[in-house]
Amino acid sequence: MAGEATGGGQGLTLLGLWASPFVIRARIALNLKGLTYVYTEESLYDKSELLLNSNPVLKKVPVLIHDGKPVCESQIIVQYIDEAFPSGGGAPILPSDPYDRAVARFWASYVEDKLYSTWVPVFRGRTAEERVEAATQVFAVLETLEQAFKECSKGKTFFGGDTVGLVDVVLGGHLGWLYATEAICGVKVVDAAKTPLLVAWAERFCALDAVKGLIPDVERLVEYNKARRAGLGLPLLLPYMELQQ
């Protein structure tokens, strides 16, 4: 698919896929910095030569190409953007204090290691029960992140305090799929009654100019999930709650 210019030209191209939370976080970081870049939508089934040549080891998106040099893996890309463009239009994504930076990296790694891996069976589970169990475990991870927000934000707006930080960007990329979980398997994981701080944070995050238009609609993600399950030979399951009626 042809590239789409956004923002305004520091020799930046991002190879991505609209539904990927990892691509979304890279796009948010670029937008936060006010950077101009070309976004190229990749095909899930017919990967471009540019992608294969830019990421020959993993052969997956996102890949940021800066002046012809590829940077791979979303968290590395986000931190690269922050370091390569310190005088960009936005505030630093990583804090200047070494300890605060270490804490931010810890929670970003927690999102990567715990949230995503726990959520994958919601997408790919072979039974409704398997998907519900995964969603229940996702909620437990979000409860931990509720406490993390309380500690990291110190009563302010974002995980990063007054401005968006690394944890905001890393977790924020997953919001579309977290919102879609209820439609996919009948379990509400973004619940204001149980994680009010996270829900309020998510609303503020999605309202940011740098984020608007990047978090996919639930309906579109549900249709994407159905298509991917069909492509993977997985059964097309109704939400668990619907099966119980």
Side-chain angles (χ1 to χ4, degrees):
M1 183 176 290
E4 169 194 343
T6 182
Q10 287 84 3
L12 293 167
T13 297
L14 183 69
L15 310 182
L17 185 69
W18 67 271
S20 166
F22 308 106
V23 172
I24 292 168
R25 65 173 60 149
R27 297 194 72 178
I28 290 171
L30 287 163
N31 290 350
L32 285 169
K33 287 292 186 175
L35 298 171
T36 299
Y37 63 99
V38 172
Y39 174 71
T40 300
E41 182 76 11
E42 286 286 332
S43 168
L44 190 65
Y45 303 104
D46 185 19
K47 297 178 181 180
S48 71
E49 285 300 315
L50 180 58
L51 172 60
L52 296 176
N53 290 334
S54 300
N55 191 359
V57 176
L58 299 176
K59 301 179 176 62
K60 64 180 182 179
V61 295
V63 176
L64 179 70
I65 303 172
H66 182 199
D67 290 336
K69 295 178 288 188
V71 182
C72 306
E73 291 293 277
S74 62
Q75 280 210 52
I76 294 172
I77 290 171
V78 170
Q79 295 185 52
Y80 176 82
I81 291 167
D82 196 41
E83 294 171 359
F85 301 96
S87 58
I93 295 171
L94 279 161
S96 58
D97 179 79
Y99 179 76
D100 291 341
R101 195 158 60 243
V103 171
R105 285 174 170 152
F106 171 83
W107 286 113
S109 294
Y110 180 84
V111 171
E112 203 85 328
D113 297 340
K114 299 295 184 182
L115 180 63
Y116 178 70
S117 61
T118 302
W119 183 86
V120 166
V122 173
F123 191 96
R124 297 190 178 194
R126 288 191 169 274
T127 67
E129 291 78 9
E130 184 181 348
R131 296 205 296 184
V132 168
E133 173 59 27
T136 302
Q137 293 178 24
V138 167
F139 180 72
V141 173
L142 292 178
E143 285 185 311
T144 298
L145 288 169
E146 172 89 351
Q147 295 305 310
F149 179 81
K150 187 181 297 184
E151 296 169 13
C152 293
S153 68
K154 300 171 184 174
K156 296 181 179 179
T157 308
F158 299 105
F159 279 92
D162 290 319
T163 59
V164 171
L166 179 64
V167 185
D168 298 285
V169 174
V170 170
L171 178 58
H174 290 283
L175 284 174
W177 284 110
L178 291 175
Y179 287 134
T181 298
E182 183 176 12
I184 290 172
C185 70
V187 178
K188 186 176 185 178
V189 297
V190 184
D191 190 341
K194 296 176 181 177
T195 53
L197 296 178
L198 269 189
V199 171
W201 161 81
E203 291 174 355
R204 292 191 298 270
F205 185 80
C206 289
L208 293 169
D209 288 341
V211 179
K212 287 178 180 177
L214 294 182
I215 307 299
D217 294 335
V218 167
E219 294 79 7
R220 192 180 181 196
L221 289 174
V222 169
E223 291 306 311
Y224 178 80
N225 179 242
K226 291 178 181 178
R228 287 288 290 125
R229 289 181 67 84
L232 293 167
L234 296 170
L236 183 60
L237 302 173
L238 294 173
Y240 179 77
M241 297 302 290
E242 191 171 334
L243 289 172
Q244 296 301 305
Q245 292 175 358

